[in-house]
Amino acid sequence: MITKSIKNNPMKILVCISKSPDTTSKISFTENNTKFDEAGIQYIINPYDEWYALVRGIELKEANGGSVTTITVGTASDDPTIRKALAIGADNAVRIDAEAKDAFFVAKQIAEYAKDKAYDLVLLGKETISYNGAQVGGMVAELLDLPYISLASKLEINGTTASITRDAKGGDELVEANLPLTISASKGMAEQRIPNMRGIMAARSKPLTVVAPAEVAETISTINYEMPPEKSGCKYVDANNMEELVDLLHNEAKVI
Amino acid sequence: MSVLVYIDSKDGIAKNAQEAVFYGSKIAAKTGGDTIVVTSGNLDNDALSALGKYGASKVIAHNSVDLDSQQLTKLVADVANDNGSKVVIFSQDLTGKAVAPRVAVRLNAGIVSGAIALPSDDFVVKVNAFSGKAFSFVKINSEVKVISVLPNSLQPEEGAGTAEVQNESCDLGASKVIVKSRVEPTGEIDLPEAELVVSAGRGLKGPENWGMVEDLAKALGAATACSRPVADSDWRPHHEHVGQTGVAIRPNLYIAAGISGAIQHLAGVNGSKVIVVINTDPEAPFFKAADYGIVGDAFEVLPKLTAAIKAANL
Ligand SMILES: Cc1cc2nc3c(=O)[nH]c(=O)nc-3n(C[C@H](O)[C@H](O)[C@H](O)COP(=O)(O)OP(=O)(O)OC[C@H]3O[C@@H](n4cnc5c(N)ncnc54)[C@H](O)[C@@H]3O)c2cc1C
Ligand SMILES: Nc1ncnc2c1ncn2[C@@H]1O[C@H](COP(=O)(O)O)[C@@H](O)[C@H]1O
């Protein structure tokens, strides 16, 4: 849904885009479980970034003018996902040329790039589906000294005020805040857009600027990975014997 | 060296808040220091003093609700600095997700979000990775450390202590995020923190059939959840949608009726301790992830299960 009626000022919007392994990917590790095995992994744009944050940013631009820039901390292997974001409708893209080591590293790079560019909105996904940290948004907001509204499922702009519906304990709440803002998107903020042929062609000539990374001290390090224990197998219970299921849940599994 | 725990105490101490305090006190017991709780909310001092049961020795209470992430960051970071706390604990709930990363930046601290176990002596923390398909072990190398604890990852034990409560009224500045209205929770039990969850999918055919899901949830004292197509078709509210694009949950018991068990659904529920699957199709992929399976019609099985729960009177 495109914001109608009120004509807003054109906004400068920055959307943070990351890649994540397609959920159907089989996850495995190498080097004694210390490295994620990328062989055969299909990468997609992190769904929250693509479906919600990016599309809502583009809708706001289409309604009011302004610009949508995407930013990604990653290596040249991220370029296909960045081109897809351009094909969906971003105007230009920035890639900070470094392996995305951890959330603070990523946030610091984004903040360094954004700090003197006066974005009205910095949009992110609510979390990456690979590590589910939900950390980058809060960190960027802190580094830029901006309010942070997380888990937003609706975003409307009225002049310089944003009205946002966000997740609250067990329900939703409607909040208001003045631009500039950092907002993380959860499901509902927009509808997924499939890039069309024109978009894909146009994306080829849109600017993708590669920027050298800033120095950042490492505060955490991943030591190793572990696969969860295999399920010991499903125990079947007869559909007419729910007393037995209750007994198993109470006495064997001890969960009720 | 004290451990600081932030919890939200608006309208009560939720289970995940108890868990966070208990988690912090376990670390303090190892590193030899006090467990200090900093909280914002509206509880009286007696209610806050009871946090001693989970290991808190002192509670610093800011009597206010609806603080925004910048105000909360100032509150927590200032208390951490005043008390020389080297470890700061949050619950990975809605507030923790917004505030813990900010506090980490302000304190120059390394942060691990979504811890599912206590850290090792050298602060290696276990977390879920790749939508619950693996675990990763992350070491915090900085002097100050922030950890947010995934709800329902450990069982808090209750001791006998009481905590000293100190009221704090420092100036946190004005809130820049104004709450206009609130849609109150639909279910009685909040899904992300629920220990028992009853969930249903497209196999239930339509929203008019959810009475039997709610009846079972009620009999168990469980929260209700659903698959994504169910929320997308507005059969159920969107915050009930679990999975890769919805909420990730980790209850002790997850009962799934009429859900096929697509990988994107499993991504949100495979941290559940025990999974019960009810499906008419014996080939449904969900049975591979289940601990207990019932091949049968949810329309018959759910009411029978509800009756059996009531009869067992647990
Ligand atoms: C990128 C992406 C992200 C996604 N994210 C999510 C997500 O977060 N969460 C999510 O749930 N899905 C997600 N999906 C969708 C997911 O792939 C499945 O399509 C969805 O989970 C299927 O929902 P379902 O099991 O309710 O329906 P179906 O797949 O239609 O399954 C219905 C099941 O009910 C059974 N059944 C039918 N009648 C009965 C009866 N009377 N009694 C008992 N059983 C019966 C059937 O045998 C079948 O197994 C995502 C998909 C994509 C591509
Ligand atoms: N490498 C990256 N480059 C750009 N943005 C990122 C990157 N990693 C994460 N983000 C953004 O931060 C959000 C939250 O990520 P996380 O904190 O890792 O869960 C994502 O949804 C993205 O919008």
Side-chain angles (χ1 to χ4, degrees), chain A residues 21-27 29 36 44 47-48 51-52 103-104 107 126-151 153 165-178 181 186-188 192 218-229 231-246 248-250 252-256, chain B residues 14 16 66 68-70 73 92 94 97-98 101-106 108-113 124 126 128-142 176-187 190 193 196 220 228 231-232 238-239 241 243-248 252-253 255 263-264 267 272-276 282 287-297 300-301 304-305 308-309 312 314:
Chain A
D22 186 348
T23 15
T24 53
S25 314
K26 198 161 164 22
I27 301 297
F29 305 100
F36 174 52
I44 55 172
Y48 300 106
W51 301 353
Y52 311 126
F104 181 65
K126 74 162 186 178
E127 64 192 16
T128 46
I129 59 174
S130 42
Y131 297 98
N132 298 88
Q135 294 180 344
V136 174
M139 290 176 171
V140 169
E142 180 65 17
L143 291 165
L144 296 175
D145 196 22
L146 292 177
Y148 176 46
I149 297 168
S150 49
L151 300 160
S153 55
T165 303
R166 70 170 173 199
D167 294 359
K169 221 170 152 65
D172 289 332
E173 63 190 12
L174 177 69
V175 302
E176 273 185 14
N178 287 329
L181 291 173
S186 70
K187 185 192 159 203
Q192 183 180 7
E218 224 173 310
T219 53
I220 60 165
S221 46
T222 297
I223 304 293
N224 63 309
Y225 299 93
E226 197 178 280
M227 297 304 280
K231 285 264 174 189
S232 53
C234 179
K235 193 180 256 187
Y236 286 91
V237 179
D238 188 277
N240 289 311
N241 194 353
M242 285 303 101
E243 293 71 27
E244 185 190 346
L245 179 65
V246 172
L248 287 167
L249 292 176
H250 183 61
E252 185 178 81
K254 300 195 189 332
V255 286
I256 59 172
Chain B
N16 64 302
D66 292 337
D68 71 17
S69 70
Q70 285 170 302
T73 299
Q92 178 78 337
L94 295 172
K97 281 184 187 174
R102 286 198 92 123
V103 167
V105 168
R106 192 162 303 186
N108 289 317
I111 172 172
V112 174
S113 294
V124 176
K126 183 179 184 181
N128 288 322
F130 302 103
S131 302
K133 287 185 201 167
F135 302 118
S136 83
F137 292 84
V138 184
K139 184 166 192 287
I140 310 181
N141 303 313
S142 50
K176 293 187 184 138
V177 179
I178 309 300
V179 178
K180 291 287 181 183
S181 61
R182 195 165 271 147
V183 177
E184 290 304 331
T186 41
D190 195 35
E193 283 119 45
L196 308 173
L220 280 167
R228 174 161 148 197
D232 282 352
H238 82 90
H239 60 257
H241 153 202
Q244 179 199 312
T245 39
V247 190
N252 294 340
L253 173 63
I255 300 179
I263 192 139
Q264 297 90 356
S272 309
K273 275 164 212 140
V274 173
I275 294 178
V276 174
F287 285 117
K288 291 203 180 68
D291 299 278
Y292 300 102
I294 295 108
V295 179
D297 185 344
E300 288 165 21
V301 174
K304 280 186 188 153
L305 180 53
I309 298 276
L314 301 170

Side-chain angles (χ1 to χ4, degrees), chain A residues 22-24 44-45 47-48 51-52 129 187 192, chain B residues 199-205 210 212 226-232 235 241-248 254 256-269 277-287 294-302:
Chain A
D22 186 348
T23 15
T24 53
I44 55 172
I45 309 183
Y48 300 106
W51 301 353
Y52 311 126
I129 59 174
K187 185 192 159 203
Q192 183 180 7
Chain B
S199 184
R202 214 147 46 175
L204 261 79
K205 314 283 188 279
W210 245 262
M212 53 191 180
C226 66
S227 68
R228 174 161 148 197
V230 164
D232 282 352
W235 294 1
H241 153 202
V242 292
Q244 179 199 312
T245 39
V247 190
Y254 183 72
I259 301 176
S260 57
I263 192 139
Q264 297 90 356
H265 184 85
L266 293 180
V269 302
V277 170
I278 302 165
N279 200 302
T280 41
D281 175 9
E283 303 290 318
F286 219 149
F287 285 117
I294 295 108
V295 179
D297 185 344
F299 289 74
E300 288 165 21
V301 174
L302 287 174

